[in-house]
């Protein structure tokens, strides 16, 4: 039978009868728990050695990774009643669980020096299995089963310490070069006792091993904005980031996704080379070409959440040939096997029968029995631990890890590395420096020209007050929208690196804000320097420097509020949409559009949170305090006699200057702290 023959029977019935399988893996110490593997007379008996002789890579054992009886269920909670009055009822009355089984009793093993490819059609369970093997099941998915490292039950901490996981989506800071990225990875991934020179040596080794020498000084690139390295080089860079610590076990999710055939072959060659060095490599792949198929050492073919086959390509050819479904000549075996087990619309029953026949035949085959016996060995060790007959192999390392920091680098090392990367990102971002300063210069000149040469008369009072409020408005909106995308745009990168144990959330937040601090200290100084004397504000040099300091303080308060919006928003578009409606009320209560003395009592709390109010009052005090006379050029107009009268008209007081500065500092600290809490909340929510 071939994959394209739809009229014949789904599969030729096998000659394998129902057999009982026994496992000769009795414990050497003579102690047998009650639920140890059964021992009976059967037709097939497979002997599993208790102790394998594992080599070492960099002082770490080679890893044989096995899994047994792995099941995964997708759970969905739905309300029984849609009526609005049912909210007070018990949650158990209103909610029920829908369970869909994603994986069914999956057994398998991956050995050192081998590249294992998990294949299957869409929905077969490839990604679910990989997530289950790496203890990364998403929310709403419940996974059970035993996962073992060298025959001993594994824990998430132990697996994280011995493995690397290359995810399907490549996430990088695009303005860094390849070498800069790897240097940063070496600083935060490697153990803290490794000297700097050895880290740099390892970076150079990885660059040469993964053929990144030609592009090591090329920027990674930002799609649509900054041209960088190719897709294949980007995928190899993902591998390079993970192999810096020389892990003995590697997982890769769809490493060839989005690549052409040539680049895909180069990527698989990289994985093959890593496996030949003694690593255990497990990857998922959707539908490989015949060239890629020939490079895999072992195949794990999934179908409807079950194992249809696990073994070498030659064994796969022979297995399906015995079932009457041999791969035709000059045909890609991967396409043949996947099409054979893929669901066909309108023929669900035939497909289900085909999958059931293949999976059952494999479970009863010699290869399937051998793999099941290997997995049963891990189950047996787990039962011994549960019965108290053996100690958990990873308990000591987990206890030690619980006492220590979960991060390999110290806090200071993390801070230096993340600050260095953040500073490089700021200085290399073409839109960040040039456009901001150009915008600042143009707006300051424009305001200076419009309000040029104001005199101290009744017309000049209104114009000067308007120019000062324009200071506040420009410093606020320009800088809030400059940082509103800082955290939400890098959030996926931060969450991935943070959850990988590379650096802390507080280190990231502090480094990002400090790296951009020089920019936000320089911009208001440039703006004030150009516009201040063009407008004709108070000419006292002392007043000029006070105005510059106040503008810098307003800028940083507005920036802090922008950080808060950025950390609390899930996307750049959401942050840009939420920002203006929140800022406008603060601007209305700044004392320019609405007199501070006429604010309704029930809305006065908004003015207490408005940096427009404090900044406007402080700048006006700086401008009008000490001005004794104001020229009155029109007798039929009310003319303020002095600067004190101007302040009193606006319900401002010179005595509040110090409190205005203190309150802006408090807002600066408060908004930054709330922004950090929002970032922390998003981090834990993503976990």
């Amino acid at each position: 039978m071939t994959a394209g023959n739809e009229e014949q029977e789904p599969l030729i019935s096998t000659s394998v009868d129902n057999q009982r399988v026994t496992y000769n893996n009795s414990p050497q110490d003579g102690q047998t728990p009650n639920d140890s593997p059964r021992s009976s007379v059967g037709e097939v008996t497979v002997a599993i050695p208790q102790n394998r002789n594992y080599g070492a890579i960099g002082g770490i054992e080679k890893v044989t990774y096995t899994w047994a009886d792995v099941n995964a269920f997708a759970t969905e909670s739905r309300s029984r009643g849609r009526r609005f009055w049912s909210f007070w009822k018990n949650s158990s009355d209103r909610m029920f669980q829908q369970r869909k089984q994603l994986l069914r009793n999956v057994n398998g093993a991956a050995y050192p020096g081998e590249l294992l490819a998990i294949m299957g059609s869409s929905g077969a369970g490839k990604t679910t299995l990989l997530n289950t093997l790496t203890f990364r099941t998403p929310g709403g998915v419940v996974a059970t089963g035993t996962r073992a490292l060298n025959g001993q039950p594994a824990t998430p901490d132990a697996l994280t310490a011995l493995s690397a996981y290359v995810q399907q989506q490549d996430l990088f800071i695009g303005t860094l070069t390849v070498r800069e990225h790897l240097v940063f990875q070496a600083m935060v991934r490697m153990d803290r006792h490794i000297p700097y020179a050895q880290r740099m040596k390892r970076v150079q080794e990885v660059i040469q091993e993964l053929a990144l020498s030609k592009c090591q000084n090329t920027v990674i690139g930002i799609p649509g904005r900054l041209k960088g390295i190719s897709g294949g080089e980007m995928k190899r860079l993902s591998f390079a980031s993970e192999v810096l610590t020389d892990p003995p076990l590697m997982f890769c999710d769809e490493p060839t996704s989005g690549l052409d055939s040539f680049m895909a072959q180069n990527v698989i060659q990289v994985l093959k080379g890593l496996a030949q060095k003694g690593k255990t490599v497990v990857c998922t792949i959707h539908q490989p070409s015949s060239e890629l198929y020939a490079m895999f050492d072992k195949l794990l073919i999934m179908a409807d959440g079950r194992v249809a086959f696990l073994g070498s390509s030659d064994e796969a050819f022979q297995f399906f040939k015995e079932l009457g479904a041999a791969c035709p000549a000059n045909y890609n075996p991967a396409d043949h096997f996947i099409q054979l087990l893929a669901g066909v619309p309108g023929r669900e029953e035939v497909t289900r029968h085909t999958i059931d026949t293949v999976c059952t035949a494999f479970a009863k085959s010699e290869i399937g029995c051998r793999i099941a016996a290997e997995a049963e060995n891990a189950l047996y060790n787990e039962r011994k631990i549960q019965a108290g007959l053996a100690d958990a192999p990873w308990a000591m390392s987990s206890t030690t890890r619980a006492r220590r920091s979960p991060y390999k680098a110290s806090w200071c090392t993390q801070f230096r590395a993340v600050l260095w990367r953040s500073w490089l990102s700021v200085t290399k971002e073409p839109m960040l420096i040039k456009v901001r300063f150009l915008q600042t210069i143009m707006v300051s000149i424009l305001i200076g020209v419009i309000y040029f040469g104001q005199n101290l008369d009744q017309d000049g009072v209104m114009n000067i007050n308007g120019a000062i409020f324009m200071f506040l408005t420009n410093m606020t909106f320009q800088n809030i929208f400059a940082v509103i995308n800082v955290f939400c745009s890098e959030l996926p990168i931060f969450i991935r690196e943070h959850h990988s144990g590379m650096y802390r959330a507080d280190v990231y937040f502090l480094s990002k804000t400090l790296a951009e601090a020089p920019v936000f200290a320089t911009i208001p100084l440039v703006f004030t320097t150009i516009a201040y004397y063009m407008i004709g504000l108070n000419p006292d040099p002392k007043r000029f420097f006070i105005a510059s300091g106040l503008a810098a303080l307003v800028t940083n308060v507005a920036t802090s509020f922008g950080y808060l919006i950025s950390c609390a928003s899930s996307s750049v578009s959401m942050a840009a949409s939420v920002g203006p409606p929140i800022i406008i009320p603060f601007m209305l209560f700044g004392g320019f559009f609405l007199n501070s003395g006429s604010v309704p009592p029930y809305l006065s709390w908004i003015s207490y949170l408005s940096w427009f109010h404090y900044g406007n009052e402080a700048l006006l005090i700086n401008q009008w305090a000490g001005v004794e006379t104001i020229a009155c050029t029109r007798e039929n107009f009310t003319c303020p006699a002095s600067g004190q009268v101007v302040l009193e008209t606006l319900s401002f007081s010179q005595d509040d200057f110090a409190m205005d500065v203190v309150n802006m500092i408090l807002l600066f600290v408060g908004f930054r702290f709330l922004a950090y809490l929002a970032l922390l909340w998003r981090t834990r929510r993503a976990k």
Side-chain angles (χ1 to χ4, degrees):
M1 171 187 169
T2 64
N5 192 352
E6 299 182 354
E7 301 300 329
Q8 299 181 7
E9 293 296 324
L11 279 176
I12 298 176
S13 60
T14 67
S15 60
V16 182
D17 300 324
N18 292 332
Q19 311 178 58
R20 296 192 66 189
V21 183
T22 62
Y23 307 101
N24 182 14
N25 57 354
S26 302
Q28 296 179 355
D29 55 7
Q31 297 175 334
T32 304
N34 296 331
D35 55 352
S36 62
R38 57 187 179 275
S39 177
S40 61
V41 178
E43 288 80 357
V44 180
T45 302
V46 182
I48 298 296
Q50 288 300 305
N51 296 313
R52 292 180 179 271
N53 184 19
Y54 299 97
I57 302 178
I60 303 177
E61 283 190 337
K62 293 184 179 180
V63 171
T64 296
Y65 193 49
T66 56
W67 52 96
D69 289 345
V70 173
N71 293 273
F73 300 88
T75 60
E76 181 180 2
S77 298
R78 293 186 178 180
S79 175
R80 292 185 183 274
R82 299 291 182 183
R83 293 174 295 184
F84 69 91
W85 59 78
S86 63
F87 67 90
W88 64 78
K89 294 182 180 179
N90 193 330
S91 60
S92 61
D93 296 333
R94 294 187 294 112
M95 307 297 291
F96 67 96
Q97 293 282 341
Q98 286 189 340
R99 288 165 63 92
K100 177 183 178 182
Q101 190 165 6
L102 304 177
L103 298 176
R104 295 177 174 84
N105 302 320
V106 177
N107 298 328
Y111 300 100
E114 292 182 352
L115 171 59
L116 171 64
I118 303 176
M119 299 183 353
S121 60
S122 298
K126 305 184 298 296
T127 301
T128 303
L129 177 59
L130 189 67
N131 290 336
T132 303
L133 296 181
T134 56
F135 295 95
R136 294 171 182 259
T137 51
V141 177
V142 178
T144 61
T146 300
R147 285 142 286 189
L149 295 164
N150 293 345
Q152 300 296 330
T155 62
D157 289 338
L159 185 67
T160 301
L162 294 176
S163 67
Y165 184 37
V166 181
Q167 301 188 35
Q168 180 177 352
Q169 185 179 9
D170 300 320
L171 297 177
F172 302 106
I173 303 296
T175 52
L176 301 183
T177 65
V178 170
R179 172 173 286 277
E180 289 169 346
H181 171 77
L182 291 177
V183 169
F184 169 77
Q185 296 287 321
M187 295 301 296
V188 295
R189 282 181 179 268
M190 294 186 175
D191 289 334
R192 60 189 68 189
H193 65 272
I194 298 178
Y196 180 80
Q198 188 172 347
R199 295 171 192 258
M200 297 304 102
K201 181 180 178 182
R202 178 59 183 164
V203 167
Q204 187 60 36
E205 291 175 355
V206 170
I207 288 176
Q208 294 177 353
E209 289 175 2
L210 297 183
L212 294 172
S213 300
K214 292 184 179 179
C215 63
Q216 60 179 319
N217 295 318
T218 305
V219 294
I220 299 173
I222 304 173
R225 292 176 54 192
L226 184 63
K227 184 174 175 59
I229 59 179
S230 65
E233 291 169 337
M234 195 171 294
K235 183 61 67 174
R236 294 205 301 272
L237 182 58
S238 296
F239 295 147
S241 304
E242 298 295 336
V243 302
L244 277 173
T245 56
D246 204 13
L249 177 61
M250 286 192 66
F251 299 96
C252 304
D253 185 16
E254 296 280 358
T256 60
S257 177
L259 302 179
D260 57 44
S261 58
F262 177 75
M263 289 296 182
Q265 188 170 358
N266 287 342
V267 168
I268 298 301
Q269 284 177 345
V270 170
L271 292 179
K272 181 74 172 178
L274 294 173
Q276 290 175 346
K277 294 180 180 179
K279 298 183 186 296
T280 305
V281 183
V282 180
C283 73
T284 59
I285 192 163
H286 183 63
Q287 201 159 2
S289 64
S290 55
E291 290 84 359
L292 299 186
Y293 176 84
M295 298 173 67
F296 298 134
D297 298 304
K298 292 289 180 65
L299 310 172
L300 172 54
I301 303 176
M302 298 291 297
D304 195 25
R306 301 171 62 185
V307 177
F309 179 79
L310 175 55
S312 65
S313 57
D314 294 336
E315 292 171 337
F317 180 84
Q318 186 64 30
F319 171 74
F320 283 96
K321 181 179 180 181
E322 293 176 357
L323 294 180
C327 179
N330 301 322
Y331 197 86
N332 184 2
D335 292 341
H336 172 70
F337 299 146
I338 292 174
Q339 292 174 13
L340 180 69
L341 300 171
V344 180
R347 303 193 61 190
E348 288 79 6
E349 289 296 329
V350 176
T351 303
R352 191 177 301 111
H353 177 67
T354 302
I355 293 173
D356 184 68
T357 304
V358 173
C359 295
T360 302
F362 174 73
K364 295 176 180 179
S365 66
E366 181 181 354
I367 302 173
C369 292
R370 184 170 66 249
I371 293 172
E374 182 86 9
E376 187 78 10
N377 190 39
L379 282 173
Y380 171 69
N381 289 330
E382 185 178 42
R383 291 164 184 163
K384 284 181 63 177
I385 294 172
Q386 293 175 351
L389 302 177
D391 295 330
W394 311 108
M396 184 176 298
S397 61
S398 297
T399 304
T400 304
R401 192 174 292 108
R403 290 196 301 262
R404 297 187 310 168
S405 170
Y407 306 99
K408 292 185 177 181
S410 64
W411 192 94
C412 292
T413 302
Q414 294 176 35
F415 178 72
R416 287 198 303 268
V418 179
L419 180 61
W420 173 72
R421 185 180 71 170
S422 300
W423 176 248
L424 287 178
S425 178
V426 169
T427 55
K428 289 187 175 184
E429 176 62 52
M431 300 293 291
L432 192 65
I433 302 298
K434 297 179 181 178
V435 173
R436 284 188 190 178
F437 277 96
L438 181 62
Q439 178 186 6
T440 300
I441 293 172
M442 291 179 62
V443 172
S444 60
I445 292 176
L446 179 62
I447 294 177
V449 170
I450 293 175
Y451 293 95
F452 185 78
Q454 296 298 317
N455 299 317
L456 292 183
D457 52 26
Q458 66 264 42
D459 294 331
V461 169
M462 184 180 69
N463 296 338
I464 288 174
N465 292 347
I468 288 176
F469 198 80
M470 283 299 300
F471 268 49
L472 299 173
T473 304
N474 180 70
M475 289 295 99
T476 295
F477 283 96
Q478 175 184 349
N479 294 290
I480 281 184
F481 285 98
V483 303
I484 208 167
N485 65 337
V486 167
F487 287 99
C488 51
S489 62
E490 288 188 8
L491 189 64
I493 301 175
F494 161 69
I495 289 178
R496 176 182 292 186
E497 294 178 343
H498 174 68
H499 288 167
S500 299
M502 294 171 59
Y503 50 78
R504 301 163 54 97
D506 56 338
V507 167
Y508 175 74
F509 183 82
L510 189 60
S511 299
K512 288 293 294 183
T513 54
L514 286 180
E516 295 185 341
V519 177
F520 297 117
T522 307
I523 285 179
L525 180 61
V526 172
F527 185 90
T528 309
T529 302
I530 296 175
Y532 190 88
Y533 286 105
M534 288 182 67
I535 297 172
L537 300 180
N538 198 315
D540 187 355
K542 178 182 177 182
R543 302 294 180 95
F544 165 76
F545 288 111
I546 293 176
S548 300
L550 291 173
L553 186 55
V554 170
T555 297
N556 282 275
V557 175
T559 303
S560 301
F561 191 75
Y563 286 146
L564 175 57
I565 296 176
S566 182
C567 292
S569 302
S570 58
S571 63
V572 177
S573 59
M574 178 182 176
S577 301
V578 169
I582 299 178
I583 300 171
I584 288 176
F586 294 135
M587 183 176 67
L588 294 178
F589 287 86
F592 183 78
F593 299 104
L594 181 65
N595 192 287
S596 299
S598 60
V599 175
Y602 54 86
L603 293 178
S604 60
W605 61 272
I606 300 180
S607 63
Y608 296 146
L609 297 176
S610 173
W611 61 91
F612 286 94
H613 172 77
Y614 300 123
N616 191 29
E617 184 175 25
L619 284 171
L620 288 177
I621 291 173
N622 181 66
Q623 167 64 27
W624 298 114
V627 177
E628 299 296 338
T629 58
I630 295 178
C632 296
T633 57
R634 301 180 188 177
E635 296 181 356
N636 58 340
F637 277 83
T638 301
C639 177
S642 64
Q644 180 65 30
V645 176
V646 175
L647 296 176
E648 291 177 353
T649 304
L650 298 172
S651 301
F652 291 152
S653 173
Q654 296 186 36
D655 299 332
D656 293 336
F657 181 84
M659 284 305 302
D660 290 333
V661 175
V662 171
N663 288 331
M664 282 193 288
I665 294 175
L666 292 177
L667 287 178
F668 167 78
V669 175
F671 286 151
R672 296 268 171 144
F673 181 69
L674 291 176
Y676 170 68
L677 293 181
L679 181 65
L680 208 58
W681 173 75
R682 296 197 63 83
T683 302
R684 294 183 178 180
R685 185 183 179 187
K687 190 173 183 179

